[in-house]
Amino acid sequence: MYRRTMVALLIGSAVGGAVRLRAAEQPVEIKISAKKFEYHPDKVTVKVGQPVILVLTSEDRIHDFKMPDFGIRTDIVPGQETRVSLTPDKVGTFSFHCDVFCGDGHEDMEGTLVVEA
Ligand SMILES: [Cu+2]
């Protein structure tokens, strides 16, 4: 009984390790464009532990990308790509929003990052 449990644990950790290794090989690039007063896409889904590079652009003026749950805050300047590396280490739904006042709809400029197990 004890032995069987140990074998199951070993197999379980080997499989988990393989998945983690494969996920770590190649970051996934996710493009998000910003304009008054929205992000496109405004919902992004990723896997926990999967390295991600957010490629942020703006179509009109300076916006911002702030995601407090992951300690991210960066300006998004028109005409350039802003790249942010992120490896989500927790499952859940996390919001991001604009942190630079950009006009009357600024307060509604937000989106969500869904991190799946
Ligand atoms: Cu704004």
Side-chain angles (χ1 to χ4, degrees), residues 17-18 23 37 40 45-46 66 69 73 78 86 104:
F37 300 98
H40 184 81
T45 302
V46 297
K66 184 171 183 179
D69 291 299
R73 185 199 180 281
L86 166 70
D104 283 342

Side-chain angles (χ1 to χ4, degrees), residues 49-109:
Q50 168 69 61
V52 169
I53 298 175
L54 302 175
V55 182
L56 309 170
T57 55
S58 171
E59 295 179 24
D60 45 23
R61 52 153 291 144
I62 292 182
H63 293 286
D64 184 270
F65 186 92
K66 184 171 183 179
M67 193 154 54
D69 291 299
F70 290 99
I72 295 171
R73 185 199 180 281
T74 183
D75 285 349
I76 311 172
V77 179
Q80 69 188 54
E81 282 186 352
T82 301
R83 299 168 73 86
V84 178
S85 296
L86 166 70
T87 303
D89 58 355
K90 49 199 169 192
V91 172
T93 300
F94 309 98
S95 64
F96 55 83
H97 61 270
C98 182
D99 200 35
V100 174
F101 184 79
C102 55
D104 283 342
H106 164 73
E107 301 297 332
D108 299 321
M109 188 165 171

